[in-house]
Amino acid sequence: MTEEQQLNPVDGLAQLSFVIQGLLERHATAQDLSMAQVRLLGVLRDRTPTMLELARLLGLDKSSTTGLVDRAERRGLVQRAPSDTDGRSVRVSLTDGGRALVTAAAARFGAEVTDLLGLLPPADRDSLSGLISRLLVAHAAQQGTDLFAPADAET
Amino acid sequence: MTEEQQLNPVDGLAQLSFVIQGLLERHATAQDLSMAQVRLLGVLRDRTPTMLELARLLGLDKSSTTGLVDRAERRGLVQRAPSDTDGRSVRVSLTDGGRALVTAAAARFGAEVTDLLGLLPPADRDSLSGLISRLLVAHAAQQGTDLFAPADAET
DNA sequence: TATTGTTATACTCTATAACTATA
DNA sequence: TATAGTTATAGAGTATAACAATA
């Protein structure tokens, strides 16, 4: 039962990503949210984008974004407000309820990931975090993006 | 530019999972497949389950599975065959075309994850793989599942 | 009666194309 | 004309409930 069996690196990364996504999804559905809604609320945590900016941030077509925001607005999670500077534009923001929901969900998700990491001894845990950080930094650099850029600065 | 900035562990794991899922999704859409179809083909690589087993493997309702298999069958990727032993049951399997597709896609995905890991120095890469393996093994043990059980034995 | 699978129905999510209003 | 956003429409994916066929 304690054999040193080892997953190949590709399968390991793929499996890990499914485990993490599974946790996220569980918390989402517990809140009666879809992953799309979670992403929307997450993006709005530190931004008040126009519909077009929102579409780009989520990687969706603007018409898809209209529907996504419609449904979130109907549930009282986000709100639309006309832009001050452009009569064609709309700014989307979290309502207080939406913010409360996403904050609580993020806290519970964080706790669960922390529990997951707690399965490793502290030294291993620190090594893993450091290695993942380095990998993501290298990946971001390769993509020409800045992993640590503030949300407001994202164009 | 070379500061030792570090993501907190929770954000790191979450980000990493999004990067990996993003790679998977890119390869899927390049093949004109949805993630649901990719999962279906992936599960069928080493199994020929009944509809009900398939639903459980994918974590879907049996009616959702009917639709998923319908669409894959219409595209010639999978096939249904009546069970020898139970007149109510149907066994689902990959067609040759489906197997070719999933094999090619898996190879390309593997190459890309390998490239990603190649951003780290070899020693770090090995450490990361080992740590991820240990984490997944511990997680599987906690869930009472066996990470290394052969597909046929999954009941 | 219980189980396997499909069908009917409804909702979310997504995209393309056409449209309205503003710039 | 060009841009921001919505609407119309279509298809995939998912679930619940009702059903048919088999055990």
Side-chain angles (χ1 to χ4, degrees):
Chain A
M1 285 297 118
T2 355
E3 307 96 58
E4 264 307 316
Q5 240 176 330
Q6 167 120 2
L7 234 45
N8 79 58
V10 171
D11 285 356
L13 269 176
Q15 284 246 19
L16 180 62
S17 82
F18 278 113
V19 168
I20 302 294
Q21 293 285 317
L23 293 186
L24 258 179
E25 203 144 348
R26 269 209 301 125
H27 285 289
T29 56
Q31 222 72 42
D32 201 39
L33 291 173
S34 65
M35 285 298 284
Q37 296 283 330
V38 168
R39 286 185 63 214
L40 170 62
L41 300 186
V43 159
L44 293 179
R45 281 183 86 177
D46 48 11
R47 293 178 192 84
T48 303
T50 65
M51 290 296 291
L52 224 54
E53 288 165 351
L54 189 53
R56 192 180 38 71
L57 286 165
L58 295 171
L60 299 176
D61 187 84
K62 55 185 178 162
S63 67
S64 309
T65 308
T66 293
L68 198 60
V69 170
D70 282 351
R71 291 184 291 274
E73 197 172 27
R74 222 178 291 141
R75 291 183 54 177
L77 302 176
V78 308
Q79 56 204 348
R80 284 175 165 99
S83 162
D84 312 331
T85 55
D86 188 330
R88 299 166 300 180
S89 268
V90 169
R91 294 227 160 247
V92 185
S93 59
L94 289 180
T95 62
D96 290 346
R99 184 169 299 280
L101 196 71
V102 69
T103 301
R108 277 197 308 278
F109 171 71
E112 195 156 7
V113 172
T114 301
D115 285 353
L116 176 67
L117 283 169
L119 294 173
L120 291 178
D124 282 0
R125 201 183 308 161
D126 294 344
S127 305
L128 181 60
S129 294
L131 288 166
I132 288 176
S133 258
R134 264 180 269 168
L135 181 59
L136 289 172
V137 168
H139 181 249
Q142 193 193 34
Q143 305 283 301
T145 61
D146 183 352
L147 197 57
F148 298 100
D152 323 333
E154 276 186 30
T155 303
Chain B
M1 286 298 118
T2 356
E3 306 94 58
E4 264 306 316
Q5 241 178 329
Q6 167 120 2
L7 235 43
N8 79 58
V10 171
D11 286 356
L13 268 176
Q15 283 248 18
L16 179 61
S17 83
F18 277 113
V19 168
I20 302 295
Q21 293 286 317
L23 293 186
L24 259 179
E25 203 144 346
R26 268 209 299 126
H27 285 290
T29 56
Q31 223 70 43
D32 201 39
L33 291 173
S34 65
M35 285 298 284
Q37 296 284 330
V38 167
R39 287 185 64 213
L40 170 63
L41 300 186
V43 159
L44 293 178
R45 282 184 85 176
D46 48 11
R47 292 176 191 84
T48 302
T50 66
M51 289 297 291
L52 222 55
E53 289 166 350
L54 190 51
R56 191 180 40 69
L57 286 165
L58 295 172
L60 299 176
D61 187 84
K62 55 186 177 161
S63 66
S64 309
T65 308
T66 294
L68 198 60
V69 170
D70 282 351
R71 291 183 291 272
E73 197 172 27
R74 223 177 291 141
R75 290 183 53 177
L77 302 175
V78 309
Q79 56 204 350
R80 284 175 165 98
S83 162
D84 313 333
T85 55
D86 188 330
R88 300 167 299 179
S89 270
V90 169
R91 294 226 161 248
V92 185
S93 59
L94 287 180
T95 62
D96 290 346
R99 182 168 301 280
L101 196 71
V102 70
T103 301
R108 276 197 308 277
F109 171 71
E112 194 156 12
V113 172
T114 300
D115 286 352
L116 176 66
L117 283 169
L119 294 173
L120 291 178
D124 283 1
R125 201 183 308 163
D126 294 344
S127 304
L128 181 61
S129 294
L131 288 167
I132 288 176
S133 257
R134 265 180 269 167
L135 182 60
L136 289 171
V137 168
H139 181 249
Q142 193 193 34
Q143 306 283 301
T145 62
D146 183 350
L147 198 57
F148 298 100
D152 323 334
E154 279 184 28
T155 304

